[in-house]
C-alpha cells in the first residue's frame, strides 16, 4: 500500500497547524510542501518560514518539493527549517549530481522530480544517488489540475530502470490530480507515495478524504 502525502498547498493557511495535525491524525504518512518561485513555475507559494511552522505542527516527515530555479541557493535554509526530504527538478539543475550530493551532505534525503514532458530515461545516471523520484502527473504550478493519463506508464518505465540497475528502496512518488478515482491505477503501476492536495484539503473532512483514497487502493484494478 503506497504512503499518502497530503500537500499543504490546498490547506487553509489561517489554520495550517490544525490542518496538519488533522492530516496526521487521519493517517497521513508524510506532509508534502510545495515551494514555488514564480520563475520555474508561474505561481509563488511558500518558503522556509512556513516549513519551520509546519515542523512545529507535526513529527511526520516533511517532504519538500522545490519548484524553484537555482534550488542549490536555498537547500541549507530548508534543511534548517526542518525539511527531511528535499526534491529538486531535473529541469532546474544543470549540475544535478552536485545538487543531490549537497542535499545529502546537509543531512536530508535527496529526490529528483520530472515534469510531465520530461522522460524518466533522462534520470538514468542520477538514480544511483537519489532516495526518491517524483513523477509529476500535472504541470507543476497549481493544485486542483486534472491527472495526465500516461503518468502510470512513466512509473512502470522507471521501475524497469531501477530494477535493471539493481536499485531497491527508492521511493516513487506521483504528484498531481490524485484522488480516489485516479489513485488505484497509479498504485497498481507501482508508485510508493501518492501526493494529494485538493482531494484532501479541498472540502469535507481531511481524515475522511485520506480514508477515501486509502479505501480506493484496496480495490483491484
Ligand atoms: C503541483 C504541486 C502538487 C499539488 C497537487 O504543482 O506539486 O503537489 O499540490 O495538488 P492536487 O492534488 O490538487 O493536484
Ligand atoms: Zn508537489
Amino acid at each position: 500500500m503506497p504512503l499518502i502525502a497530503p500537500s499543504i498547498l490546498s490547506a487553509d493557511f489561517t489554520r495550517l497547524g490544525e490542518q496538519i495535525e488533522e492530516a496526521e491524525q487521519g493517517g497521513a504518512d508524510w506532509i508534502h510542501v510545495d515551494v514555488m518561485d514564480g520563475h520555474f513555475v508561474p505561481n509563488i507559494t511558500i518558503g522556509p518560514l512556513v516549513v519551520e511552522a509546519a515542523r512545529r505542527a507535526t513529527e511526520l516527515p516533511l517532504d519538500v518539493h522545490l519548484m524553484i530555479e537555482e534550488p542549490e541557493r536555498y537547500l541549507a535554509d530548508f534543511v534548517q527549517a526542518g525539511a527531511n526530504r528535499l526534491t529538486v527538478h531535473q529541469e532546474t539543475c544543470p549540475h544535478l549530481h552536485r545538487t543531490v550530493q549537497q542535499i545529502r551532505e546537509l543531512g536530508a534525503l535527496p529526490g529528483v522530480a520530472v515534469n510531465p514532458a520530461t522522460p524518466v530515461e533522462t534520470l538514468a545516471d542520477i538514480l544511483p544517488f537519489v532516495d526518491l523520484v517524483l513523477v509529476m502527473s500535472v504541470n507543476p504550478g497549481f493544485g486542483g489540475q486534472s491527472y495526465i493519463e500516461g503518468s502510470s506508464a512513466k512509473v512502470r518505465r522507471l521501475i524497469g530502470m531501477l530494477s535493471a540497475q539493481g536499485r531497491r528502496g527508492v521511493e516513487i512518488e506521483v504528484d498531481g490530480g490524485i484522488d480516489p478515482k485516479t489513485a488505484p491505477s497509479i498504485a497498481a503501476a507501482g508508485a510508493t507515495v501518492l501526493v494529494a492536495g485538493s482531494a484532501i484539503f479541498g472540502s469535507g473532512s481531511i481524515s475522511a478524504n485520506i480514508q477515501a483514497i486509502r479505501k480506493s487502493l484496496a480495490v483491484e484494478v
Side-chain angles (χ1 to χ4, degrees):
M1 176 80 79
L3 303 179
I4 296 184
S7 161
I8 60 168
L9 185 61
S10 298
D12 174 355
F13 277 70
T14 63
R15 300 188 299 122
L16 184 60
E18 283 166 43
Q19 297 226 312
I20 290 174
E21 281 166 28
E22 199 179 327
E24 180 169 357
Q25 279 156 19
D29 297 292
W30 297 355
I31 298 297
H32 185 84
V33 183
D34 286 308
V35 177
M36 305 186 189
D37 66 353
H39 288 274
F40 175 57
V41 293
N43 201 3
I44 298 176
T45 56
I46 64 182
L49 201 65
V50 174
V51 172
E52 198 265 325
R55 178 74 294 161
R56 282 184 273 119
T58 183
E59 293 194 351
L60 291 179
L62 293 181
D63 172 40
V64 177
H65 177 190
L66 296 175
M67 287 161 276
I68 62 176
E69 288 177 4
E70 299 185 79
E72 55 284 349
R73 293 173 59 196
Y74 301 99
L75 301 174
D77 291 345
F78 282 104
V79 172
Q80 227 159 14
N84 302 92
R85 293 178 175 271
L86 282 181
T87 297
V88 294
H89 268 260
Q90 183 265 22
E91 299 86 357
T92 62
C93 293
H95 304 290
L96 183 56
H97 179 272
R98 180 185 294 152
T99 307
V100 161
Q101 294 301 104
Q102 282 172 352
I103 295 171
R104 206 176 283 291
E105 279 160 20
L106 287 165
L109 298 174
V112 61
V114 283
N115 281 341
T118 304
V120 285
E121 286 70 17
T122 60
L123 302 180
D125 293 307
I126 200 66
L127 289 182
F129 303 97
V130 294
D131 287 74
L132 176 150
V133 177
L134 192 169
V135 173
M136 286 303 306
S137 44
V138 298
N139 287 295
F142 302 95
Q145 304 180 79
S146 299
Y147 176 77
I148 297 174
E149 296 299 334
S151 306
S152 293
K154 278 176 94 167
V155 168
R156 291 182 203 275
R157 274 157 43 215
L158 178 61
I159 289 172
M161 291 167 69
L162 287 166
S163 68
Q165 293 190 9
R167 283 280 280 150
R168 285 164 191 274
V170 177
E171 302 286 1
I172 301 174
E173 183 172 45
V174 180
D175 184 3
I178 297 184
D179 60 22
K181 283 200 190 76
T182 55
S185 64
I186 305 164
T192 63
V193 187
L194 305 181
V195 176
S198 50
I200 289 177
F201 292 106
S203 62
S205 137
I206 292 169
S207 50
N209 292 339
I210 293 173
Q211 287 319 311
I213 295 175
R214 272 205 203 290
K215 225 171 136 192
S216 76
L217 298 176
V219 177
E220 295 277 324
V221 282

